Amino acid sequence: MNSELLATVLFLAFVALTLVITFRASRQNKTAADFYAGGRSFSGAQNGLAIGGDYMSAASFLGIAGIIALSGYDGFLYSIGFLVAWLVALLLVAELMRNSGKFTMADVLAFRMSPRPVRTAAGVSTITVSIFYLLAQMVGAGALVGLLLGVTSPAGKAWTIVGVGALMIVYVVFGGMKGTTWVQIVKAVLLMGGAALITVLVLAHYGFNLSSLLGEAASQSGKGDNFLIPGLKYGTEAQGLAGKIDLISLGLALVLGTAGLPHILIRFYTVPTAKDARKSVLWGIGIIGTFYLLTLVLGFGAAALVGSKAIAAADAAGNTAAPLLAKAIGETFLGDVGGTILLALIGAVAFATILAVVAGLTLASSSSFAHDLYAHVFKRGTATEREEVLVARVSAFVIGAVSIGLGILAQGQNVAFLVALAFAVAASGNLPAILYSLFWKRFNTAGAVSAIYGGLVSALVLVIFSPVVSGGPTSLFKTADFAWFPLSNPGIISIPLGFLCGWLGTVLSKEYNAAKYAEIEVRSLTGVGAEQATKH
């Protein structure tokens, strides 16, 4: 039985299981709270698993393993950044967001400000960040299916991306938050199981001796001992100072981005109490922390057993390192059949990962469009719950279609790198507005709108004129060159700009409502009043 057939069978089994879950959940979607927040019926542990499922994306699994396998130590920085970011989310945002909001990030901002301009800005920002992130997952899907099913033509990969897009639209339109959360939970368990199995096999192969694994990885990488020290990807002599600044920029974006990601923020609304919100983040950190330690072994294991050259030959950006490692380690222990089975298993798990994450992202952006833009901006609060949910379902179709189109265009980029861009946009636009709103008494409407648009526009402009889009071998437009910004990640400039715009907008405006700030301060710290807010 060949790996293509087996992978297809396993993947179809997962799709069938999740579709059953989705349609069962759809029967319970009676109100807007059911559709957006799963009826707030999930326990801390369940939500923690779902947060893990939402966060451990194709970028984490395929992209980080690939970057470590190709760039060694410098690739491991992605693992560290993604993990440390959770502490920012836990300490600054999780509990306060759960207490202050209702369904979306904009609920927190609109509470003490003029709702329409703030909701418009937050809706635009949420949809932009989600589409950037969706792009990364779509590219991962194309690369993965190319490897598993032997599809190498761009047209074949494009059809794969269309298929993934269609499935995610079904999950969101029918399942809402309940269906999507259960898909995340199933996927988190599968991904942890698959990654742990391969990690144990790789360590067993090297007698559980990390030194011999790293030594073999360095010799097979073709880069010798340089593979295990900083400077292969960032800060090389050719890049000079710009490379070092790029590394700091990447770190800033990764660490601060999580607390501004819309699909992570709406996860905190699915639990009944603030205590459960805290508990779910602790569960999430446990699962995610373990997973990122495993990516270290997956990345260096792929370099040691498959070799950096072979990985780059299969996919220049390294996105197929983990599945190739599964095949190699399976063959080592169980012969050809074992290699085929493990490759199929990891391929199916990675595909499941992509489907679960795109469902969460599409839900975040479509609910923001329906709840913030349609219900509160266009309809000025007069829309019924039924109309709102209908609009959320229609916008899921539109957002799905846009991300399919962009995903087809962006093939060939490393997925972890694309996600780092989404993090930079989230940290520049969303995070300043959220932190100022929760912690700064003087903050007002002009400040919120300035922070979101200032951070968002500066991040987008810098990305457009960076080597990511033009002027390099891995750029989006390889033949054109209009890059004047030297850094690949805009975080180091756009994040401070977002905070600066928020401060400037606030001090230049005379609006100030002390009573509303006092109310949100009490609500965010205690949860008093939040239950009433969720009922109307």
Side-chain angles (χ1 to χ4, degrees):
M1 189 179 191
N2 64 11
S3 61
E4 282 118 28
L5 184 61
L6 188 59
T8 311
V9 169
L10 283 171
F11 173 60
L12 289 175
F14 173 81
V15 170
L17 171 69
T18 49
L19 285 175
V20 169
I21 291 170
T22 303
F23 284 113
R24 284 196 61 171
S26 71
R27 290 187 203 150
Q28 299 164 346
N29 278 339
K30 293 180 176 64
T31 64
D34 286 335
F35 187 82
Y36 293 136
R40 300 185 207 284
S41 58
F42 291 99
S43 69
Q46 285 172 331
N47 198 44
L49 269 172
I51 284 177
D54 227 341
Y55 194 68
M56 299 182 300
S57 64
S60 320
F61 187 46
L62 302 173
I64 294 179
I67 284 189
I68 293 175
L70 297 180
S71 309
Y73 181 94
D74 279 9
F76 184 50
L77 295 166
Y78 277 86
S79 294
I80 302 292
F82 281 141
L83 179 57
V84 172
W86 266 104
L87 297 176
V88 179
L90 172 66
L91 297 172
L92 292 180
V93 175
E95 183 185 348
L96 304 177
M97 286 288 287
R98 162 66 191 78
N99 286 343
S100 318
K102 186 179 176 186
F103 298 138
T104 63
M105 174 187 91
D107 289 335
V108 177
L109 304 178
F111 181 79
R112 49 182 287 221
M113 319 208 178
S114 171
R116 292 186 72 211
V118 170
R119 281 191 188 277
T120 306
V124 168
S125 177
T126 295
I127 292 165
T128 309
V129 173
S130 298
I131 285 178
F132 257 99
Y133 213 111
L134 276 166
L135 193 61
Q137 312 307 321
M138 296 300 198
V139 170
L144 191 68
V145 170
L147 176 77
L148 286 178
L149 307 183
V151 178
T152 48
S153 69
K157 290 183 179 178
W159 279 111
T160 309
I161 291 172
V162 172
V164 172
L167 269 171
M168 85 183 176
I169 290 167
V170 170
Y171 288 150
V172 174
V173 169
F174 293 103
M177 179 56 100
K178 255 197 185 129
T180 303
T181 301
W182 280 111
V183 170
Q184 311 279 26
I185 291 170
V186 170
K187 169 240 142 153
V189 172
L190 284 175
L191 183 58
M192 285 301 289
L197 172 65
I198 298 220
T199 301
V200 169
L201 289 176
V202 169
L203 289 174
H205 182 62
Y206 290 99
F208 292 92
N209 183 337
L210 267 178
S211 294
S212 53
L213 164 64
L214 294 174
E216 180 72 5
S219 67
Q220 291 299 320
S221 69
K223 308 200 177 74
D225 287 344
N226 287 343
F227 194 65
L228 302 178
I229 57 173
L232 264 186
K233 188 172 173 65
Y234 297 99
T236 57
E237 281 175 29
Q239 292 168 329
L241 182 64
K244 290 174 178 161
I245 295 174
D246 210 359
L247 180 60
I248 297 168
S249 191
L250 171 75
L252 266 176
L254 293 180
V255 170
L256 298 176
T258 298
L261 287 176
H263 69 295
I264 299 294
L265 295 175
I266 64 168
R267 278 254 142 256
F268 301 131
Y269 298 133
T270 61
V271 288
T273 65
K275 185 182 172 192
D276 284 314
R278 282 199 304 277
K279 203 195 234 171
S280 60
V281 177
L282 288 172
W283 267 89
I285 284 183
I287 293 160
I288 292 162
T290 309
F291 178 75
Y292 284 122
L293 284 175
L294 301 182
T295 58
L296 181 63
V297 178
L298 294 176
F300 284 115
L305 287 161
V306 183
S308 299
K309 253 191 189 140
I311 291 166
D315 183 283
N319 293 326
T320 52
L324 288 170
L325 169 65
K327 189 169 191 286
I329 198 75
E331 284 170 358
T332 307
F333 279 92
L334 305 160
D336 285 353
V337 178
T340 304
I341 290 171
L342 263 186
L343 171 65
L345 186 71
I346 292 304
V349 165
F351 221 85
T353 298
I354 291 169
L355 279 180
V357 173
V358 291
L361 285 161
T362 312
L363 183 70
S365 38
S366 62
S367 53
S368 178
F369 180 83
H371 183 64
D372 298 328
L373 296 177
Y374 174 78
H376 288 92
V377 177
F378 305 151
K379 286 284 194 173
R380 297 173 185 262
T382 60
T384 63
E385 276 201 351
R386 198 162 164 212
E387 283 175 344
E388 209 179 298
V389 172
L390 180 67
V391 169
R393 289 180 163 144
V394 172
S395 59
F397 273 99
V398 177
I399 290 159
V402 170
S403 55
I404 288 168
L406 289 172
I408 291 169
L409 277 177
Q411 287 183 61
Q413 294 277 335
N414 179 287
V415 283
F417 170 70
L418 284 170
V419 164
L421 290 183
F423 272 65
V425 176
S428 310
N430 295 348
L431 187 68
I434 291 168
L435 291 184
Y436 279 149
S437 186
L438 291 170
F439 298 107
W440 188 19
K441 196 181 287 189
R442 173 87 172 73
F443 196 50
N444 56 30
T445 307
V449 172
S450 308
I452 292 174
Y453 287 137
L456 191 64
V457 171
S458 61
L460 288 176
V461 167
L462 293 176
V463 168
I464 289 167
F465 292 106
S466 76
V468 178
V469 173
S470 71
T474 56
S475 301
L476 218 50
F477 302 107
K478 293 176 180 58
T479 49
D481 185 1
F482 44 85
W484 49 260
F485 182 65
L487 308 183
S488 298
N489 196 298
I492 198 162
I493 307 247
S494 59
I495 297 170
L497 253 177
F499 279 98
L500 179 67
C501 290
W503 174 80
L504 205 60
T506 302
V507 295
L508 292 177
S509 163
K510 292 188 171 60
E511 180 201 350
Y512 173 52
N513 189 333
K516 276 284 190 192
Y517 175 75
E519 191 179 336
I520 199 161
E521 188 176 32
V522 170
R523 180 185 285 191
S524 67
L525 293 171
T526 64
V528 172
E531 291 311 307
Q532 285 76 11
T534 61
K535 289 187 173 82
H536 61 250

